[in-house]
Amino acid sequence: MRQIRLSTGGVQSWYRGVTATSTDHFAYASTMSIHIFRRRDMSLVKMLTSESNLKNITSICWCPLDETKIAVAHAGNQIRVFDIETEDLDPTRPPCSTPHRVLAMDWSPTSPRLLAYITETGKIHILDLTSSKVTHTYSSPSSNGFAEHPYPALRWHPTVNGRLLLGAPDGSLTVINNVDGKKSSV
């Protein structure tokens, strides 16, 4: 007998960082599952479900160098890396507890062991996925933090090592150089 999984079908709307793309796939998160589709023919390839310890997902992002790995943050204040092929936690990357709920995150394409994330308090953290330790923490670029702008954009530069771009809904942009810690407004 073939096992069937039932899950809510739509993208959950409580958090904005619940979609991700890679070269050949795209994914979206419903409340307790991640749906992974092949871009070529828009067919469902995998569905990671609550069987894989997923609950109230707040953000997802793909490993830029390995399409079988996806990072998942959930409201339980944890970031976990899943192996899509085995549909389970990646044993080489232990789960990481976060101080607050993660609103956005991005995996570095130039240093694939680093993942940047921003919490609901506006703090930006750089996480070393091999040790599950935060290597750097930055304050929000504005004096009031991102609390009044709860869904900032966060992206690593695709070719320059350590350069991170933050964008707020009011249009302000800040570049953080993770190598020397300098911030500049654009």
Side-chain angles (χ1 to χ4, degrees):
M1 177 181 280
R2 185 168 179 239
Q3 185 176 9
I4 297 175
R5 295 183 188 175
L6 296 177
S7 178
T8 56
V11 175
Q12 58 99 338
S13 59
W14 299 280
Y15 304 100
R16 294 192 181 175
V18 294
T19 59
T21 61
S22 70
T23 305
D24 297 324
H25 297 87
F26 69 92
Y28 74 84
S30 59
T31 304
M32 295 179 69
S33 62
I34 298 175
H35 306 260
I36 300 167
F37 292 84
R38 188 177 13 258
R39 288 174 119 178
R40 178 175 21 112
D41 58 5
M42 307 297 256
S43 62
L44 180 65
V45 177
K46 290 272 185 182
M47 186 180 353
L48 302 176
T49 64
S50 59
E51 300 164 5
S52 304
N53 301 315
L54 299 172
K55 57 184 173 191
N56 205 1
I57 299 163
T58 61
S59 187
I60 61 176
C61 67
W62 234 293
C63 176
L65 302 179
D66 184 355
E67 287 200 14
T68 66
K69 307 292 188 252
I70 194 165
V72 179
H74 62 78
N77 297 348
Q78 273 199 338
I79 296 173
R80 298 173 175 184
V81 176
F82 284 86
D83 184 314
I84 294 169
E85 291 179 350
T86 65
E87 299 183 31
D88 208 352
L89 290 173
D90 180 354
T92 64
R93 294 186 172 99
C96 173
S97 293
T98 61
H100 300 280
R101 188 173 25 234
V102 173
L103 297 180
M105 61 182 176
D106 196 35
W107 207 318
S108 173
T110 57
S111 296
R113 73 180 204 297
L114 298 180
L115 184 134
Y117 67 91
I118 189 163
T119 64
E120 61 193 346
T121 63
K123 297 272 187 194
I124 300 104
H125 304 273
I126 309 300
L127 174 66
D128 185 326
L129 289 166
T130 56
S131 66
S132 288
K133 299 213 184 304
V134 171
T135 61
H136 295 85
T137 298
Y138 300 99
S139 297
S140 174
S142 68
S143 59
N144 295 329
F146 279 119
E148 62 190 76
H149 305 291
Y151 300 110
L154 172 83
R155 290 290 175 261
W156 288 101
H157 192 284
T159 58
V160 178
N161 187 35
R163 192 166 293 165
L164 187 64
L165 178 69
L166 303 169
D170 66 0
S172 62
L173 296 172
T174 301
V175 177
I176 296 176
N177 185 334
N178 192 47
V179 176
D180 61 16
K182 291 183 180 176
K183 294 186 219 176
S184 57
S185 296
V186 179

